[in-house]
Amino acid sequence: MNKISTYIIALILAIGCSAVQAQNNKTTAIITHERDSNLFYHTIQRGETVYSIATMYGVKVNDIYKLNPESKEGIKVGFKLMIPQLTPEATGKSNGAANYLFHTIKAKETLYSVSRLYTVPADQIADANPGLSAETFSIGKTIRIPRNPHEEPSVEQVQTVTKDVPYTIQKKETLFRISKKFDVSTTELIKRNPSLKDGVKAGAVIYIPVKEEQKVLVSTEITDEKEVNALLSRKKDSKKLPVVNVSLLLPFMTEEAYPSSNTSRFIEYYEGFLLAVDSMRNQGCSINLSVFDTGNGTEKINDILKNPAVKEADLLIGAVQNEQIHPVAKFAEKNKIRYVIPFTSKNDDVLSNPYVFQVNTPQSYLYSKAAQAGCELFKNYNIIILKVNDPQDDKKEFIQELKTELKQKKVSYKEYTYNAETFATEIESQFVTDKPNVIIPTSGTLNALNKIKTPLVTISSNRPDYQLTLFGYPEWQTYTRDCLEEFYALNTYIYSNFYADNLSDGVKNFYQKYKTWFSKNPINTFPKYGMLGFDTGMYFFKGVWTYGSNMENNLKRTGHNSIQTGFNFERVNNWGGFINTNLFIVRYNKDFTISRIQLNEL
């Protein structure tokens, strides 16, 4: 098995392809959402930045700052920003955001009323907003309206129509005989010709109702109000696919004499991905896998996208550089193929492409979720934000997000500045005994942690009534060789979008199977790329195989129990793609156990 697997991987790498308000809530300006308004409102969502909001609407950051000067100092969840409508004339663009008007939903509006307001067929509005549903069509949400809606196609239908044909009454004819002659009731004849009430007179002209079939063109546009609004509740059928076609695009760099450290990580991702393929096949899922070497730049990508296997894929996964990701994303949108971006967290395609799934959580979303978790966990604690003077301090954005969250939830906190000479004696003055104490350092470096851990452990040991707790960062997972005992002693919590418990059955089984297949251990990195490949494969294979075209409506039900990377995909807006907002809270308990909790379990 080992030799065969090694040979297969070597062969694949050799040939490169294998088939296996804002704060402006206080503004006095009132913008009415009429058809020709040149402004609209955007309600700020958790994790959004001014840059991401500007990008999703195709405007410049400065355009938002001009209308919302307060936003330069930061934005807050739930507040509103005024956004200028983009026009093709102003940008010179012939596609993208400029092809749409953006509309913010008001109270009592329905899909039908919005359709009438813009004279755009409702089904075209629904198609322009794949995330639109009865739940997301709500006050304050933004939808996009096609500027140039295509004409609704007409279909030829056969309809029966009734025409009045003139007829001259003959001598000796009676009303009864005329009705039998034309197969029309006497009642209908009198209704059409009231003069017949006075009797039938030869030579008089009457009108006979005659039915005939005609071919007519009928518009397919939905005009019934109930039927239009029902579009928001339309459901796709969940149907298992007989075969899941997958194309994996990774930079194997087959021209390298020996794989570099970067290349080795992507090879490991592929190996973990193969384990997911094998696991799903054991569950009865048939997977047709094609693997491509993307190399650097776009030259190979352009050739790969011409391959028939890629166009027929149900899933596209991979590409690393943004210059590669963008053409793959455009290809996926054009061909309506789900595209999974597993590595980078800095990509704009997800903001406007409904087929994109971004696995790696952007920092703004991660900080926002972590601040929410910290506030929820420690709302009844004595919170101390410890300012550590570290030249590599990289947590200013998180600390600012946390302070904002605490203020909004009216949770009090203290701030204390680290001083090497007095820390051990002075920090104790910040603690209380009537509730637990949590220390949150402003730096995530090992150097910063080493400065504070020993004094805090000493205090915790001498004064257990302080109930000390430490709250920190994802990179602390890499410090366990130096700090594990202190983590346990200080009842430490860290937030992270990935975590693997080496004592869990799932992780143990992965290591065993990986070593059996590939005769080696995974590279000692955080996160481990092999586990990332396995988790990503399992989640999306299950989703597409089980739910087919209805996967997006069943993301919470996919059912993969991840071993390292969790998935909680949220659509960024009504027309864009999905960002993974999963967050783990990892706790090093005083009894020397480790707990992994998902944010939605708090």
Side-chain angles (χ1 to χ4, degrees):
M1 167 68 78
N2 294 346
K3 293 182 179 179
I4 294 174
S5 299
T6 303
Y7 172 76
I8 290 174
I9 295 172
L11 179 61
I12 290 172
L13 296 179
I15 63 176
C17 172
S18 158
V20 192
Q21 247 122 217
Q23 298 75 345
N24 70 322
N25 276 329
K26 299 178 182 179
T27 183
T28 56
I30 299 176
I31 306 300
T32 56
H33 300 300
E34 296 180 358
R35 177 184 171 87
D36 297 323
S37 174
N38 60 355
L39 295 173
F40 63 96
Y41 281 127
H42 172 86
T43 302
I44 300 165
Q45 305 298 309
R46 187 172 294 279
E48 290 181 337
T49 63
V50 174
Y51 172 79
S52 68
I53 294 168
T55 302
M56 75 170 65
Y57 294 119
V59 302
K60 297 177 181 178
V61 169
N62 282 337
D63 294 336
I64 294 179
Y65 286 156
K66 287 178 183 178
L67 291 171
N68 312 271
E70 300 91 343
S71 63
K72 288 185 178 181
E73 305 302 321
I75 57 176
K76 296 180 181 180
V77 175
F79 281 48
K80 293 180 180 179
L81 293 175
M82 286 190 289
I83 311 292
Q85 291 281 12
L86 196 64
T87 63
E89 294 77 17
T91 61
K93 296 179 181 178
S94 59
N95 51 39
N99 284 340
Y100 298 93
L101 286 166
F102 292 93
H103 176 85
T104 305
I105 300 168
K106 295 190 300 182
K108 298 183 180 180
E109 282 189 325
T110 64
L111 180 59
Y112 179 81
S113 67
V114 172
S115 171
R116 290 303 175 201
L117 176 64
Y118 291 94
T119 62
V120 175
D123 57 344
Q124 292 186 37
I125 295 176
D127 290 343
N129 299 274
L132 203 57
S133 66
E135 291 74 29
T136 60
F137 193 96
S138 57
I139 300 171
K141 292 288 187 180
T142 306
I143 58 176
R144 61 182 189 177
I145 312 293
R147 283 185 180 274
N148 300 302
H150 54 267
E151 291 185 7
E152 286 294 315
S154 299
V155 295
E156 192 175 68
Q157 291 184 355
V158 176
Q159 294 184 347
T160 300
V161 297
T162 300
K163 290 185 175 182
D164 287 336
V165 179
Y167 175 74
T168 303
I169 299 175
Q170 306 298 310
K171 291 180 179 181
K172 298 183 180 181
E173 278 190 317
T174 64
L175 182 60
F176 178 78
R177 290 180 61 183
I178 296 172
S179 69
K180 291 298 182 183
K181 183 176 183 179
F182 293 101
D183 194 23
V184 180
S185 69
T186 56
T187 302
E188 186 66 24
L189 283 174
I190 294 173
K191 184 178 179 181
R192 286 287 201 284
N193 306 274
S195 61
L196 292 176
K197 292 180 181 179
D198 300 326
V200 177
K201 299 178 181 180
V205 176
I206 61 174
Y207 292 92
I208 309 295
V210 177
K211 294 181 179 180
E212 63 178 38
E213 291 183 346
Q214 287 185 346
K215 292 182 178 180
V216 296
L217 291 177
V218 179
S219 172
T220 58
E221 180 183 352
I222 303 172
T223 56
D224 178 75
E225 184 170 2
K226 288 185 178 180
E227 195 174 350
V228 165
N229 293 331
L231 289 173
L232 297 177
S233 302
R234 60 184 176 182
K235 295 182 180 180
K236 295 181 180 179
D237 292 332
S238 296
K239 186 177 181 181
K240 279 191 176 182
L241 297 181
V243 178
V244 179
N245 296 305
V246 183
S247 289
L248 182 64
L249 289 64
L250 293 175
F252 292 118
M253 303 299 183
T254 52
E255 67 278 3
E256 293 177 347
Y258 298 97
S260 66
S261 57
N262 276 339
T263 302
S264 296
R265 285 196 287 269
F266 293 124
I267 292 173
E268 183 181 301
Y269 179 93
Y270 169 56
E271 292 166 344
F273 198 80
L274 285 179
L275 297 184
V277 171
D278 182 68
S279 295
M280 290 302 298
R281 284 176 174 165
N282 289 336
Q283 295 180 35
C285 175
S286 181
I287 298 175
N288 183 20
L289 175 64
S290 299
V291 183
F292 300 88
D293 176 17
T294 61
N296 276 320
T298 59
E299 183 177 353
K300 287 187 176 181
I301 283 289
N302 292 332
D303 288 336
I304 289 170
L305 296 181
K306 297 175 184 177
N307 191 296
V310 178
K311 192 169 184 178
E312 295 172 4
D314 300 301
L315 272 175
L316 296 175
I317 300 178
V320 177
Q321 304 161 348
N322 276 334
E323 62 182 337
Q324 295 178 340
I325 290 173
H326 183 64
V328 176
K330 297 301 290 182
F331 176 88
E333 184 175 21
K334 179 181 178 181
N335 293 281
K336 299 183 178 180
I337 303 171
R338 295 181 184 92
Y339 173 38
V340 181
I341 303 174
F343 306 112
T344 183
S345 62
K346 297 179 180 179
N347 181 267
D348 295 338
D349 289 284
V350 70
L351 298 173
S352 59
N353 188 329
Y355 294 92
V356 168
F357 288 79
Q358 187 166 311
V359 171
N360 203 357
T361 310
Q363 286 285 60
S364 60
Y365 282 84
L366 186 62
Y367 287 161
S368 180
K369 289 281 186 177
Q372 180 186 15
C375 186
E376 182 63 28
L377 282 167
F378 307 120
K379 60 187 177 184
N380 296 319
Y381 281 56
N382 176 40
I383 300 172
I384 303 162
I385 296 176
L386 180 56
K387 298 180 181 178
V388 184
N389 297 319
D390 191 320
Q392 296 180 345
D393 186 356
D394 57 350
K395 302 302 178 184
K396 290 180 180 178
E397 292 181 25
F398 165 70
I399 295 298
Q400 184 57 50
E401 191 76 33
L402 177 62
K403 289 179 180 178
T404 300
E405 187 81 17
L406 292 171
K407 289 175 183 177
Q408 286 185 331
K409 298 293 176 59
K410 297 181 180 180
V411 177
S412 62
Y413 64 90
K414 301 175 182 177
E415 293 187 81
Y416 176 77
T417 301
Y418 172 84
N419 184 308
E421 296 179 357
T422 61
F423 178 70
T425 56
E426 288 187 354
I427 185 63
E428 192 169 356
S429 66
Q430 304 295 316
F431 301 147
V432 298
T433 57
D434 59 342
K435 57 183 174 181
N437 298 271
V438 59
I439 301 97
I440 306 173
T442 58
S443 173
T445 65
L446 179 58
N447 180 50
L449 193 55
N450 282 334
K451 289 178 181 180
I452 66 174
K453 66 176 185 177
T454 301
L456 290 176
V457 169
T458 300
I459 294 172
S460 179
S461 177
N462 293 334
R463 293 292 304 270
D465 55 327
Y466 283 147
Q467 302 178 70
L468 292 190
T469 290
L470 196 59
F471 183 56
Y473 306 98
E475 54 267 41
W476 285 14
Q477 295 178 71
T478 66
Y479 307 157
T480 53
R481 182 175 297 179
D482 301 305
C483 306
L484 185 58
E485 289 185 10
E486 289 84 355
F487 284 169
Y488 287 132
L490 293 171
N491 191 36
T492 301
Y493 291 77
I494 67 174
Y495 72 84
S496 180
N497 53 349
F498 63 88
Y499 177 76
D501 180 1
N502 290 329
L503 299 179
S504 69
D505 291 339
V507 172
K508 287 179 181 178
N509 291 337
F510 174 84
Y511 277 128
Q512 182 178 2
K513 191 172 182 180
Y514 185 91
K515 191 165 186 177
T516 299
W517 274 50
F518 307 111
S519 301
K520 61 179 181 178
N521 292 317
I523 304 169
N524 189 25
T525 59
F526 290 90
K528 286 188 166 46
Y529 274 53
M531 291 185 185
L532 177 60
F534 178 80
D535 280 333
T536 304
M538 291 296 291
Y539 179 85
F540 283 97
F541 293 159
K542 281 189 174 182
V544 173
W545 178 52
T546 306
Y547 299 108
S549 62
N550 200 26
M551 176 183 170
E552 284 73 9
N553 293 323
N554 292 277
L555 294 175
K556 307 292 185 184
R557 301 170 59 192
T558 298
H560 169 57
N561 186 18
S562 69
I563 59 174
Q564 176 184 256
T565 304
F567 300 100
N568 181 40
F569 284 102
E570 296 180 5
R571 198 185 284 274
V572 294
N573 51 49
N574 276 317
W575 58 92
F578 298 84
I579 285 178
N580 182 18
T581 64
N582 181 76
L583 184 77
F584 292 129
I585 298 297
V586 181
R587 182 179 180 181
Y588 294 82
N589 303 295
K590 283 183 174 291
D591 62 359
F592 303 101
T593 60
I594 301 175
S595 308
R596 188 184 79 171
I597 311 164
Q598 285 190 292
L599 178 58
N600 57 10
E601 296 173 354
L602 292 177

